[in-house]
Amino acid sequence: MINYKRMYETGVKLVNSENYVDSIPYFNTSMESSEFRLDSLIKLFGAYIKMSNFLKCREIIDKMRELTDVTLYEATVDYSEFNFHSSLQKFKEVFNKGIDQRNALFKIANLYANFGYLDVARTIYESLVMQDLNVRSSKAIISLDLLEKDYEHARKVLESIRYNILPKYYEDFLLFIDYFSGKRTCNSSIYLSNLLFDSSDKKLVQHIERHKEKRSKGIECFDKDLNVKELVMNVRGLLKRYNSVYDLNALTSKFVFPLDKDISDLKFNRLSGLQVNVLIGSDEIITMFPMNLSSEFNREGLLENQELLLRRGVR
């Protein structure tokens, strides 16, 4: 007899330790029980979001419709697939329904930032911080400070959350602030520091080579025969031609490329897209990995919109 409770709890432990791929079979089993079905589907959705497998996310949403309101989940995937206007409408709907209002408000602020309205986004983030110490919003404020070149305020905000984040994240954020403000001292013990000061792309290529092997975080893997140097050169030529999505919580911007255009000749284990993370407000590539897009991916959202980019003021 299957112990569905144990299956669910094992899946949760794996997700909490970022073993997303390994958690999936446990949730697939536990959702066979009516008692754990909804919770299992929610956890599966979260795992697939972390893996950037938006095709699977939408399949999970379809299974959830009979059990709960799916507006929040639809809004989340829409945001990830560049359906900004649809996502904003749905997050506002979620907020008005009183469903996870703080998270919905945070996502609304993210969307305003992506539309270029940094002042509106900042007001929302600051209101969330005032309600209680909201680390996500504080990180987002630091990102806005970097975009607006207010490095002194960025340092002040970072110090205010220093003991509420892991030392690694504090070091990364401090490195980014130093890099943008012109204080560019390389720390050889930190990957990002080596990356930002390596004009040859050697460190970046070495890092991406690791994505040819399955990793515990569940990031999809490249084919072993992929020419990573060629991939990096190809991608660099695309960055200025497309829009990105801000991930203000991580001081990065995310580019997504469908594989039927521009880089379709590269092999990605039959996956449908490539995600490229860059340092926010720059073209400094931090990492990239293959992903799975759904049919709802907004290809028009990829096209460069001069008015949007001018309003953002980052290129």
Side-chain angles (χ1 to χ4, degrees):
M1 183 176 178
I2 298 175
N3 188 328
Y4 293 108
K5 183 174 184 293
R6 181 175 297 173
M7 287 288 179
Y8 175 76
E9 291 175 345
T10 301
V12 170
K13 289 179 180 178
L14 289 168
V15 163
N16 290 341
S17 61
E18 299 184 333
N19 288 297
Y20 306 119
V21 171
D22 293 341
S23 74
I24 290 172
Y26 289 95
F27 291 131
N28 280 335
T29 300
S30 62
M31 75 177 183
E32 296 174 2
S33 165
S34 58
E35 180 181 357
F36 295 101
R37 182 168 178 77
L38 178 57
D39 288 339
S40 298
L41 288 169
I42 291 172
K43 292 295 184 182
L44 275 172
F45 178 87
Y48 283 125
I49 278 288
K50 289 292 187 180
M51 295 165 60
S52 295
N53 192 330
F54 306 127
L55 177 62
K56 284 292 186 181
C57 283
R58 294 195 184 275
E59 291 177 2
I60 294 297
I61 288 172
D62 287 339
K63 294 177 180 179
M64 294 169 62
R65 292 187 190 282
E66 299 177 353
L67 305 172
T68 189
D69 188 307
V70 297
T71 311
L72 173 62
Y73 307 101
E74 289 179 328
T76 301
V77 185
D78 281 349
Y79 179 82
S80 298
E81 295 200 299
F82 286 71
N83 291 292
F84 291 154
H85 291 283
S86 171
S87 182
L88 179 60
Q89 180 182 355
K90 289 174 181 176
F91 275 124
K92 286 182 175 180
E93 183 180 340
V94 169
F95 181 83
N96 291 333
K97 289 178 178 179
I99 305 172
D100 198 2
Q101 286 185 310
R102 288 177 60 75
N103 184 48
L105 196 57
F106 179 80
K107 294 298 178 62
I108 289 170
N110 287 351
L111 281 157
Y112 277 119
N114 276 289
F115 287 135
Y117 299 113
L118 304 186
D119 54 340
V120 177
R122 182 182 292 273
T123 298
I124 297 175
Y125 293 135
E126 289 176 345
S127 71
L128 288 169
V129 172
M130 289 178 63
Q131 292 176 34
D132 58 69
L133 181 59
N134 189 295
V135 173
R136 281 195 311 175
S137 294
S138 294
K139 290 179 179 178
I141 290 171
I142 294 172
S143 291
L144 297 184
D145 287 340
L146 294 185
L147 289 172
E148 297 179 325
K149 298 179 172 58
D150 190 348
Y151 308 123
E152 182 177 348
H153 188 260
R155 294 181 195 279
K156 181 179 178 181
V157 175
L158 179 60
E159 288 304 318
S160 74
I161 61 172
R162 178 171 185 172
Y163 300 106
N164 299 97
I165 59 178
L166 294 173
K168 176 188 180 303
Y169 296 129
Y170 173 80
E171 291 176 354
D172 286 351
F173 271 55
L174 185 60
L175 172 66
F176 287 162
I177 295 172
D178 285 346
Y179 181 81
F180 273 104
S181 64
K183 183 182 176 183
R184 303 186 175 186
T185 303
C186 181
N187 184 338
S188 61
S189 66
I190 301 176
Y191 161 69
L192 287 174
S193 181
N194 280 291
L195 183 65
L196 294 176
F197 293 96
D198 177 25
S199 59
S200 68
D201 283 335
K202 180 179 179 180
K203 293 293 181 182
L204 178 62
V205 170
Q206 288 176 347
H207 178 72
I208 297 173
E209 286 281 356
R210 294 171 52 202
H211 292 212
K212 292 183 179 181
E213 301 173 1
K214 187 170 288 188
R215 302 200 309 163
S216 61
K217 288 190 175 183
I219 294 175
E220 297 287 0
C221 301
F222 291 120
D223 279 1
K224 292 183 178 180
D225 59 350
L226 174 70
N227 186 323
V228 176
K229 288 184 179 179
E230 177 187 344
L231 172 64
V232 171
M233 291 179 59
N234 207 327
V235 166
R236 286 204 184 281
L238 298 174
L239 294 183
K240 294 188 182 299
R241 293 165 48 192
Y242 293 101
N243 283 329
S244 62
V245 178
Y246 289 149
D247 183 357
L248 300 177
N249 193 42
L251 294 183
T252 61
S253 295
K254 178 181 74 175
F255 289 84
V256 175
F257 303 113
L259 293 188
D260 59 353
K261 297 185 177 221
D262 295 314
I263 47 179
S264 58
D265 57 324
L266 300 175
K267 298 178 180 179
F268 287 73
N269 286 334
R270 298 176 301 281
L271 295 174
S272 59
L274 173 71
Q275 178 171 322
V276 181
N277 293 347
V278 305
L279 181 59
I280 194 167
S282 77
D283 57 1
E284 295 285 356
I285 300 174
I286 296 173
T287 190
M288 62 182 76
F289 49 87
M291 61 191 302
N292 220 0
L293 302 171
S294 79
S295 60
E296 300 298 317
F297 178 73
N298 181 17
R299 295 169 187 273
E300 295 301 316
L302 283 172
L303 301 178
E304 185 176 46
N305 180 312
Q306 292 295 338
E307 182 182 352
L308 170 63
L309 297 181
L310 285 172
R311 195 163 66 240
R312 283 184 174 180
V314 298
R315 293 190 196 167

